Amino acid sequence: MSQPIVVESVAALRAQVRDWRRDGLSIAMVPTMGALHEGHISLVRVALEKADRCVVSIFVNPAQFAPAEDLDKYPRQLARDLDLLAEAKANLAFTPTVGDMYPAGFATRISVGGPSSGLESDFRPTFFDGVATVVAKLLLQATPDRAIFGEKDYQQLCVVRQLCRDLDLPVDIIGAPTVRDRHGLAMSSRNAYLSETELKIARQFNVILRETAVALADGADQAVATAAASRALATAGFDKIDYVEARESLTLAPWRRDRDGRLLAAAWLGKTRLIDNMEISST
Ligand code: PAF
């Protein structure tokens, strides 16, 4: 099992990408913040199906954390991540430092409109600026042909698509399905924060969202169904529900029944904030 090439600097990343391109190889990128789990590994698999070489970035991006959020306690486990990437046959891990990504004097922020409005932004107002800025940098640094993002962070996926479209970044953005445990809980690095009791409650999240998505597809009133979902989450033991909303899947505009829909939600268990989403399928 060979370890991926590990590079810290943009110059070394570009040199390797240049070599691959010289050999006629295509490249897919999986941007991550590390603490890898089966969800990330599924993105690596998609990357290797779609391209000859897979670059995984591991960078806990301070720009997307608000001061009171979990930047300091966000799990960091590079050695384990590299083992998982070796098993998954990723070719290169890009592990820049904060100083590499945001050197002294760094003064740019990218702000995406459209799909970033509402939902997460109502509760994390600076989050998508931080994500858009780092994703634009990563894509310009690695210049992949494709980049893979999980549908688990559905609003983020829509924001990244908008970013690449608006800035003419020459990269195909591919959304990959959410990986769930056998109880349907969406894989997330933040699941590591959950106690056993919280984990049991967390597993109700997907069940309640799925039932609500089915009810919406069957014609339930949107306001009534989403309010019922919030109540069901509270009854299941969630401490605070940030939102449960139905949106149009492509633009994230408010959902209209004649459009493809997505039900999105965020809720707290103790100090851990979970997000999840479900397709509202008309079939
Ligand atoms: O989804 C994540 O892990 C992060 O938001 C991303 C896309 C790697 C940007 O830091």
Side-chain angles (χ1 to χ4, degrees), residues 31-33 40 59 61 64 127 131 134-135 149 153 156:
T32 81
M33 297 207 298
H40 297 109
F59 178 63
N61 174 33
Q64 69 190 71
F127 174 66
V131 169
V134 82
V135 168
F149 291 83
D153 298 292
Q156 169 173 280

Side-chain angles (χ1 to χ4, degrees), residues 181-207 236-238 269-270 272 274:
D181 74 6
R182 66 195 172 87
H183 304 277
L185 175 65
M187 297 278 183
S188 162
S189 304
R190 290 189 169 101
N191 291 350
Y193 301 153
L194 299 172
S195 67
E196 272 307 309
T197 315
E198 288 172 334
L199 205 49
K200 282 201 186 106
I201 300 169
R203 288 178 174 140
Q204 291 304 305
F205 200 9
N206 73 97
V207 177
F238 281 88
L269 268 173
T272 308
L274 300 180

